[in-house]
Amino acid sequence: MIQHRADMDWMLKDLAESVPQTRHVVVLSSDGLRMAQYGADTDSADRLAAACAGLQSLAAAVSAEFPHSDGRMRMVVIELDVGFFYLMAAGAGAYLAVLADEGVDAGLMGQRMRDLVARIGEHLSSPPRHDGQSA
């Protein structure tokens, strides 16, 4: 079940405000559809969600190179010249993405993201789509 966006706003806001230098927090489905956001306008959040779908697919392809891997991505971190991008699995078919400025405490960000996923992971799950519709 997808949690209603308004119900998730406070949880995403809590993550953003508990880690200084956080810019955007987006929850997305595995097919790149934005489910909720904080700190980003809708267009930016949609673009980020779409890009994340490609990243999780790439991570799964890389995972196939490891013996005995189940192919599931846990976390991707990209360091840029202006900051960091984090993508974490957050339930069946859902992901948590964060953009943060270069001064972010990377350890704190990872911990807060894991805490959020552990607390509300079942609410972040996105059911598989059939014929363009949620199950």
Side-chain angles (χ1 to χ4, degrees):
M1 171 177 182
I2 299 175
Q3 184 93 5
H4 186 269
R5 182 182 173 267
D7 295 340
M8 290 178 43
D9 284 348
W10 70 271
M11 293 179 265
L12 303 182
K13 180 180 179 183
D14 183 54
L15 171 66
E17 292 181 350
S18 70
V19 183
Q21 307 298 320
T22 300
R23 286 187 163 267
H24 307 310
V25 182
V26 178
V27 176
L28 60 130
S29 64
S30 60
D31 54 356
L33 298 176
R34 172 187 44 85
M35 295 164 53
Q37 85 232 21
Y38 179 81
D41 61 68
T42 301
D43 288 341
S44 294
D46 284 342
R47 284 191 305 272
L48 186 60
C52 289
L55 280 174
Q56 67 88 18
S57 179
L58 178 62
V62 170
S63 174
E65 298 304 315
F66 288 90
H68 311 293
S69 173
D70 62 8
R72 291 185 291 168
M73 183 273 302
R74 290 186 188 162
M75 183 173 206
V76 172
V77 179
I78 300 174
E79 183 176 2
L80 307 163
D81 60 345
V82 294
F84 292 87
F85 167 75
Y86 301 87
L87 179 62
M88 181 179 281
Y95 295 87
L96 176 62
V98 176
L99 281 178
D101 291 330
E102 65 182 320
V104 71
D105 180 332
L108 180 60
M109 178 61 77
Q111 176 187 4
R112 296 286 197 236
M113 288 177 71
R114 282 188 301 276
D115 290 348
L116 178 60
V117 167
R119 233 178 35 216
I120 62 169
E122 66 274 3
H123 299 292
L124 294 179
S125 297
S126 176
R129 299 179 190 281
H130 301 287
D131 300 324
Q133 301 286 325
S134 292

